[in-house]
Amino acid sequence: MSNRFPKVQKCNKNDETFFSAKIAMVVMTMIRALAVDIDGTLTDQNRVLCPAALQALRGLKVPVVLSTGNSHCFTRTVSVLLGTPRIFIAENGGVLSYSDDEIEVLADLKVCEDAFQKLAAEFPLQRFSSSRYRFTDIALKRNFDVAAAARRVQELGLPVHIIDTTFAVHIKDKRVDKGTGLRCIAKRMQIEPSEFAAIGDSNSDLPMYRLAGFRASVGNASTQLLQSSDYVAKAEYGNGFAEIIDHMNEREMFNSDADAGAQTKRADND
């Protein structure tokens, strides 16, 4: 079986030939697991799960690790409903779940609270009600100048990052992201980060893209993420995710040795 997979040529998103660009061949590690964002990747623009995405997920025979900015409790609930393992990345890498009995908190909520207080004196920051369920970051409504706030964070030398996922703005500990989360999860699963495929839609997914062996974006993804992708779906949101899985299946990119492990994980979760 060949281990060469196509990489979409980078081009302007507005170019009419963007999705029909010439394909270059790159050597890839066989994929043993997926790291998948939730909002905007498995859902539509209103955060409603796309049926095509669910169908694609249920047909997979490799583990799916949810990797999201959502809170731990939200992500766990989604994993139950989707039938994915209880091993996942929440709060943009701030909280990791290894099982229902073990979570790891890697970030400091206090630095985020301090940054919030300082920024709130200059910007009209409004928390989402879900903030009370968060262990490590603060989720804000997108009603302020995010770029200006990010610059202010740098000027004040605050140990946080401001990230805009298009669904919310997060103040998070700068020491963690989805990439640090993926390293820890991969180590626990005894899989190399390069044996993961990363699928997402926003710049918050870039850290895990830098580690993954295959990077694919849904059609609504940010320009920077599109430019970092090996494959870009023509379809948007959850339909784009389903298209990506079809693409990977057609090219036999999944490591069949992982089948039994994935089925065991699903059985343990039922």
Side-chain angles (χ1 to χ4, degrees):
M1 182 184 297
S2 171
N3 66 340
R4 291 179 175 270
F5 305 112
K7 183 179 181 71
V8 171
Q9 180 180 339
K10 297 180 178 67
C11 37
N12 190 315
K13 183 179 179 181
N14 296 321
D15 190 328
E16 292 181 359
T17 63
F18 181 76
F19 293 116
S20 59
K22 291 182 179 179
I23 297 202
M25 302 305 291
V26 293
V27 176
M28 283 289 187
T29 301
M30 295 300 294
I31 299 304
R32 297 180 62 195
L34 299 181
V36 182
D37 175 56
I38 298 177
D39 294 330
T41 302
L42 298 177
T43 75
D44 63 16
Q45 63 271 34
N46 297 313
R47 301 183 73 199
V48 176
L49 179 66
C50 293
L54 176 59
Q55 185 174 4
L57 279 170
R58 297 302 290 172
L60 286 168
K61 295 182 179 180
V62 296
V64 175
V65 174
L66 298 176
S67 182
T68 176
N70 285 296
S71 66
H72 173 273
C73 61
F74 179 95
T75 309
R76 183 194 177 280
T77 300
V78 172
S79 75
V80 171
L81 295 175
L82 296 181
T84 59
R86 297 301 96 77
I87 185 165
F88 55 76
I89 301 164
E91 298 187 22
N92 293 297
V95 181
L96 305 181
S97 172
Y98 298 116
S99 71
D100 267 345
D101 299 317
E102 183 182 4
I103 68 170
E104 184 174 12
V105 176
L106 298 177
D108 186 357
L109 181 60
K110 292 181 180 178
V111 300
C112 299
E113 290 287 358
D114 179 62
F116 174 83
Q117 294 300 326
K118 289 181 170 63
L119 292 173
E122 303 179 36
F123 299 90
L125 306 185
Q126 290 183 283
R127 297 177 189 245
F128 276 106
S129 58
S130 63
S131 289
R132 64 182 180 273
Y133 302 119
R134 292 181 172 273
F135 297 132
T136 66
D137 77 352
I138 297 173
L140 306 171
K141 296 181 179 181
R142 302 175 73 240
N143 64 330
F144 64 99
D145 188 333
V146 178
R151 289 194 298 270
R152 190 61 177 141
V153 162
Q154 292 184 331
E155 292 168 359
L156 294 172
L158 302 177
V160 300
H161 282 154
I162 304 289
I163 57 172
D164 186 350
T165 66
T166 72
F167 289 89
V169 177
H170 297 260
I171 301 177
K172 71 172 190 66
D173 189 325
K174 67 187 299 183
R175 296 173 298 177
V176 300
D177 53 38
K178 290 186 180 182
T180 58
L182 182 58
R183 285 188 187 278
C184 294
I185 292 292
K187 183 177 181 180
R188 176 60 65 95
M189 294 176 68
Q190 299 183 327
I191 297 175
E192 291 297 322
S194 61
E195 294 178 296
F196 275 80
I199 304 175
D201 75 314
S202 75
N203 288 351
S204 66
D205 299 312
L206 282 168
M208 67 177 183
Y209 270 42
R210 298 186 184 109
L211 299 175
F214 181 73
R215 301 151 292 272
S217 296
V218 290
N220 53 289
S222 68
T223 299
Q224 192 172 355
L225 205 68
L226 293 174
Q227 292 173 345
S228 301
S229 299
D230 299 307
Y231 180 80
V232 176
K234 294 181 180 178
E236 298 184 342
Y237 300 103
N239 292 327
F241 173 81
E243 178 188 328
I244 290 166
I245 299 305
D246 285 344
H247 170 87
M248 296 179 72
N249 279 324
E250 288 170 3
R251 285 154 182 78
E252 300 182 318
M253 296 175 65
F254 294 111
N255 186 339
S256 58
D257 293 341
D259 288 4
Q263 291 167 351
T264 299
K265 287 178 182 295
R266 278 191 176 142
D268 289 343
N269 290 335
D270 289 339

